[in-house]
Amino acid sequence: MANQAEHSRRSFLKRVVEFAYGIVGLFVAIPAAVTALAPAATRRKFIWIAVAKLTDLPDGQTTRVVIADKNPQGWYTVPREKVIFVKRNGNRFTVFSSTCSHLGCNVNWYPAINEFICPCHGGVYNADGKNIAGPPPLPLTRLQNRIKNNTLMVAVS
Amino acid sequence: MAAIKDPQEENVSLRQTVAQWLEERIGASHFIKENLDEPMPVGVGWLYTLGSCLLTVLIVQMITGIILALYYAPTPDHAYDSVYYITQHVLLGGIVRGIHHYGASVIIIIMGLHVLRSFYTGAYKKPRELTWMIGVLIMAVIFGFAFTGYLLPWDMKAYWATVVGTHIAGTMPFIGKYLERALDGGRSVGALTLTRFYAIHVLVLPALLIALTAAHLYMVRHHHIAGPPTVREGQRKPFYPDQVAKDAIVALLVIGILLGFAAFVKVKLDAVADPANATFRPTPEWYYMSLYQFLKYLPSGYEIIGTLIVPGVIGLALFLLPWLDRGPSRMPKDRKAVLGIGTAIVIAVGVLTYLGMTSISPAAQHGVTLANASPLAQKGEQLYNQSGCSSCHMINGQGATVGPDLSNEGKKGRSLQWQIQHLMNPPSVSPGSIMPSFQKLGPDNIKALATFVNSLGVKGGAAPPAAAPTAPPAAPTPAPAIKPATTSAKPTPSSITPSAKKAPSASTTAPGKPKAKSVAKSIASIGNVQAGAKVFAESGCSSCHMIDGKGGTFGPNLTKEGTHGRSMSWQIAHLMDPQSKSPGSIMPSFKKLGSKKIHDLATFLNSLGSK
Ligand code: FES
């Protein structure tokens, strides 16, 4: 009888150990995991950035423009440069991000052959940003744009 | 008889007392003795030193890593500068960084050999399955070290390799996007990526590595070393000193080679990371080269085969190998299929690595360049290449970063006249510039060069003025001397672009003259010190090098050049072909000075700072 009481007392204590340390673990693990992974949940935030005066964008051509990307990353708010390509057709502007849809390198525009080529794995896009050769799975991303005060603005995230 | 105490006896008894005192408190002597006396299977030879060698190099990495961490600052503003600082300004800092840098490669090589040895001898068979699996986890941790450590110098190569690396994680189905953002610490590689990679590299992975290594070693001892596949007859020798002696010799050899590399093959530091650079061609470190090459072959939509499926299947197969090859025999003849597949993979990796290393840039494959310019500008481009401009300036990722990057020079809205004036007399339009005058090229050539420079970054040959309002305004050329830490690095032109030109900079002139103070202290040599000093002054050496506080800081300070113990032949070979002696150097060849002047110059250099 006494033996059985002792036995159940022990198994109760074992539960206590499991429970208490389990809670301790959760107390630490939950905030730790949330804080570590919080950036994975960052929302895309678009901001409008001026690209160029319309007069500076030659008609019928694709122009490479370096813009200052003002979206801060964490505490680091120094604007970084970002490359975009503006294709102008009369008053129609198509703005391409330079980020290759394959693994993220910056593509470049080669007017001699009217194509974008990615320096990493050789992806090729045509003048409309469509992926036409090599590994890229998708066309170049087109960025939203609008014209304000004779200046082309683009939404970057 | 007077008792004369034998001093040795006294010593022994003292040692024994200390040993006993410690034993009573620690109680580990039995454990230690057992491990040192562990009998090795017969036939365990040099191939079985790999594990211990790996451990040695890992410890070296830990030590050098701690030293580097004393100086390193993981922020986009300072990471590059702090790495530059440790290599250039801290005594032996370059060597410590070199050891850490090349140590990574050495670890991968030795780890590879260690795994192959265990694989071919079937060391993973019962009861050592878990020893093997833990080993595979250690391998994963080591690749993690290589990946996270690569970003830390925050140069071009580091940045773009990480962009590609985190995108690779992003191709995983379902969780890919989140995984990528968790790695990046946001939506792109930036400040938060750097702190994250740093924390993982110096806190998380070392903890994992230590735990896994302890478990691995425990298992190795618990089941004893597997030894050769066949049990051989003979006398078994103890681990210490018989096997440890072999381990020590191999460690000495490997660390010697590592130190040699660290001392004589300078680790490259590319230009500082630039997200706006579009032509830098990021090629990964050699151990990721096979994957890089493989990715190129996969057509649109199939990239996941290269990013996830093949590496994942190989990794998983390695991990589960003890269950894929279950026969009890460890003999190669009974394991033909497994060994065949393994060998095929090794060969494939080797071939892909070779192809990756020798491949040329995609744009070159299409036969295009960015230059799309008038004949005058084309002539200018030729001059640019011949006059050694790329020793200081970068265009689209090719060239050095001593002077400003010229990729978008044409967009800065500078007039042709400004460019001409600048080439004739740089400080006149850009005060403080240390660029030498190129007047001696003659007016026609200067005009061509100016036209070329003004066409840079402008498409279609036409030159629209200042296209981007947000781009930097037409400021005068920044004087690199103001911020030496970021601009005076010794980056190398993208190492893979074969066309990175290094034309001799014959046209440089000398803004400053070195003091001929140490001239008299000539050492016996074959050249003439005074003549050498003159050549030094005339050839523009001081544009880049400082002697006794005068001259530029792009190249190493030469004030004490003569005290480095470099031979005349080293100096001569270095002047003729700098890269042959210090790979990654951006110094142009001075071959065209001719043998006499080169000899004088070498003699002069070797006299500097010597007493
Ligand atoms: S990143 Fe552009 S082709 Fe791979």
Side-chain angles (χ1 to χ4, degrees), chain A residues 35-37 39-40 42-44 49-53 56 58 61-68 73-76 78 80-83 102-113 115 117-122 124 131 134-137, chain B residues 75-77 159-160 163-164 167-168 171 178 181-182 184-193 196 275-282 292 295-296 298 300-301 303 362-363 366 368-370 372 408 411 459 464-470 472:
Chain A
T35 312
L37 298 177
T42 29
R43 284 277 172 86
R44 190 179 285 264
I49 287 181
V51 177
K53 289 243 170 302
D56 289 341
Q61 287 185 23
T62 299
T63 310
R64 175 182 195 262
V65 183
V66 180
I67 57 172
Q73 203 211 16
W75 48 268
Y76 192 70
V78 178
R80 289 189 329 180
E81 296 192 328
K82 192 174 186 143
V83 181
H102 183 223
L103 296 172
C105 294
N106 266 352
V107 301
N108 217 338
W109 169 247
Y110 293 86
I113 52 171
E115 281 165 357
I117 301 178
C118 176
C120 281
H121 312 100
V124 182
N131 47 323
Chain B
T75 79
D77 288 337
Y159 179 85
W160 288 106
V163 167
V164 171
H167 267 81
I168 285 180
T171 60
Y178 299 98
R181 275 180 237 159
D184 279 350
R187 291 205 168 248
S188 60
V189 175
L192 297 187
T193 322
R196 225 147 246 262
N277 189 294
T279 45
F280 180 79
R281 188 174 153 230
Y292 160 82
L295 286 171
K296 292 195 211 165
L298 296 168
S300 171
E303 70 270 11
H366 287 79
V368 286
T369 61
L370 287 172
N372 176 31
N408 290 306
K411 282 194 190 154
K459 300 302 163 210
T470 46

Side-chain angles (χ1 to χ4, degrees), chain B residues 236-540:
Chain B
R236 305 180 73 181
K237 304 211 177 99
F239 174 63
Y240 180 81
D242 293 57
Q243 185 64 22
V244 177
K246 291 198 185 86
D247 289 347
I249 290 168
V250 172
L252 186 65
L253 197 76
V254 169
I255 299 298
I257 293 172
L258 182 52
L259 204 64
F261 264 94
F264 299 113
V265 190
K266 244 175 111 187
V267 182
K268 284 178 187 166
L269 193 57
D270 279 321
V272 66
D274 175 11
N277 189 294
T279 45
F280 180 79
R281 188 174 153 230
T283 44
E285 205 57 22
W286 63 268
Y287 39 82
Y288 288 125
M289 195 57 94
S290 51
L291 179 63
Y292 160 82
Q293 186 64 14
F294 185 47
L295 286 171
K296 292 195 211 165
Y297 297 132
L298 296 168
S300 171
Y302 292 91
E303 70 270 11
I304 194 163
I305 295 178
T307 55
L308 185 67
I309 297 178
V310 168
V313 166
I314 292 179
L316 208 63
L318 263 186
F319 191 64
L320 298 177
L321 187 60
W323 285 274
L324 298 176
D325 175 26
R326 307 164 81 146
S329 169
R330 289 179 52 204
M331 293 299 292
K333 68 171 169 42
D334 301 325
R335 302 161 48 229
K336 285 200 185 102
V338 171
L339 293 188
I341 295 172
T343 309
I345 293 175
V346 171
I347 293 174
V349 166
V351 169
L352 284 172
T353 304
Y354 173 78
L355 291 174
M357 291 200 155
T358 50
S359 65
I360 59 165
S361 92
Q365 269 169 10
H366 287 79
V368 286
T369 61
L370 287 172
N372 176 31
S374 66
L376 192 60
Q378 275 168 11
K379 183 179 171 202
E381 183 174 14
Q382 247 174 26
L383 284 160
Y384 181 92
N385 293 326
Q386 285 162 3
S387 310
C389 305
S390 64
S391 302
C392 289
H393 295 283
M394 184 177 282
I395 297 180
N396 296 322
Q398 290 186 15
T401 55
V402 170
D405 186 325
L406 300 179
S407 312
N408 290 306
E409 183 63 20
K411 282 194 190 154
K412 295 188 179 156
R414 287 170 180 154
S415 67
L416 192 63
Q417 203 44 50
W418 188 97
Q419 295 289 5
I420 291 173
Q421 178 64 28
H422 181 252
L423 287 164
M424 307 270 280
N425 183 2
S428 70
V429 281
S430 147
S433 168
I434 62 135
M435 175 166 145
S437 158
F438 282 82
Q439 196 157 12
K440 61 164 65 168
L441 289 179
D444 289 348
N445 286 340
I446 292 251
K447 183 155 179 234
L449 198 48
T451 313
F452 167 66
V453 170
N454 244 0
S455 76
L456 291 168
V458 181
K459 300 302 163 210
T470 46
T477 319
I482 294 168
K483 213 188 162 198
T486 39
T487 47
S488 68
K490 299 201 64 189
T492 51
S494 155
S495 52
I496 18 58
T497 25
S499 57
K501 286 123 187 156
K502 299 206 169 125
S505 72
S507 38
T508 48
T509 55
K513 277 193 179 145
K515 263 194 215 160
K517 178 176 131 191
S518 40
V519 167
K521 302 167 188 162
S522 164
I523 46 169
S525 51
I526 38 177
N528 179 310
V529 176
Q530 264 102 356
K534 206 165 146 241
V535 177
F536 187 92
E538 285 167 358
S539 311

